Amino acid sequence: YTTLFRSTYNQNYTVSSPVTFTHTAAGDMLVVCVGSITTGAGNTAITINSITYNSVGLTQACTVNNNYDTYYNNMATEIWYLAAPATGSHSVVITFTGTSVFELNASAINVIGSNGIDNTGTNFYFYGNPTQPKTITIPSNTNDLVIGALGEYYAALTSINQDTIVSKDYFSSGSSMAQGVASIAGQGLTTTLGWTNTFFNFMPATMAGISIFPQPPGVIVGLTGNIGSGSVGNVTDTPI
């Protein structure tokens, strides 16, 4: 079985580099999804310089930003990974370059049973595009596990896929950015993940995704997340 376990970091209002949070790894691969917003005239999306876990560097799988957006030229989503991470509880450290960073969301995910990255994909939507759901299509195979991440401004997200992790929601947290992370078994040569924004459907969004091989017949998903001093608890989904 492939097991996903997730811990999250969420911070808004003037985020400084480096960002550090604790994650307990167990498995063959650690995947970290990062979403960010910068504010201010002329600013562009942040550049992530490095992500480490237990002082070991992760590899960037894919990155996307909407720097050409006339109204909101400051959003980015990235996915990084590390094969054979150290087990136990260690620090995830994210260093970045950029100014006026309004918010940064990160999700660290354990994948058990993976042998490496198959393919990657990215997509983005400009401000004013009312398309719902916002989707990303990733090259894949039927035996893959596909993980996608979306960052959207002023959003309350609902995933269109079976297994879903939403790490931060505007209504519940008082923040201005939502990060959705979803996982699903590969649907063939391509796999589509998507989210519907039930708040403002015309807000900009950046999306990144990876396919990981091999994907065993069943998927078990475990979820934990902390925002401030609270916790969203634990969730176990029915295997696919």
Side-chain angles (χ1 to χ4, degrees), residues 9-225:
Y9 171 91
N10 314 112
Q11 183 176 339
N12 58 350
Y13 306 114
T14 311
V15 186
S16 299
S17 177
V19 161
T20 302
F21 65 100
T22 300
H23 177 72
T24 302
D28 304 294
M29 181 180 292
L30 172 65
V31 176
V32 177
C33 305
V34 182
S36 64
I37 296 176
T38 54
T39 59
N43 284 333
T44 56
I46 70 170
T47 298
I48 294 181
N49 300 316
S50 67
I51 300 179
T52 63
Y53 175 74
N54 192 34
S55 300
V56 178
L58 278 70
T59 299
Q60 184 189 71
C62 52
T63 179
V64 60
N65 63 60
N66 65 333
N67 282 338
Y68 299 102
D69 194 316
T70 303
Y71 293 93
Y72 294 93
N73 62 344
N74 51 16
M75 296 188 65
T77 296
E78 301 198 15
I79 298 180
W80 294 58
Y81 69 96
L82 174 64
T87 58
S89 182
H90 303 284
S91 293
V92 176
V93 181
I94 303 171
T95 62
F96 60 87
T97 303
T99 59
S100 301
V101 182
F102 183 72
E103 184 158 355
L104 187 145
N105 299 336
S107 296
I109 305 164
N110 295 339
V111 180
I112 299 174
S114 72
N115 281 336
I117 302 295
D118 192 356
N119 280 292
T120 66
T122 60
N123 194 16
F124 66 89
Y125 292 82
F126 284 146
Y127 174 85
N129 188 335
T131 299
Q132 294 292 325
K134 290 181 167 62
T135 61
I136 179 172
T137 299
I138 302 124
S140 63
N141 290 290
T142 54
N143 290 328
D144 286 348
L145 172 68
V146 180
I147 297 175
L150 167 143
E152 187 165 6
Y153 196 62
Y154 275 89
L157 300 175
T158 301
S159 173
I160 67 172
N161 300 104
Q162 179 172 349
D163 298 327
T164 308
I165 303 167
V166 177
S167 69
K168 198 165 191 182
D169 184 280
Y170 170 74
F171 288 115
S172 64
S173 68
S175 170
S176 61
M177 179 185 182
Q179 182 189 54
V181 180
S183 65
I184 191 171
Q187 299 169 336
L189 295 179
T190 60
T191 298
T192 298
L193 297 170
W195 295 261
T196 297
N197 181 357
T198 57
F199 190 24
F200 289 134
N201 66 2
F202 52 84
M203 285 298 173
T206 53
M207 313 172 75
I210 59 174
S211 53
I212 301 171
F213 60 90
Q215 156 73 72
V219 177
I220 299 175
V221 179
L223 164 62
T224 64

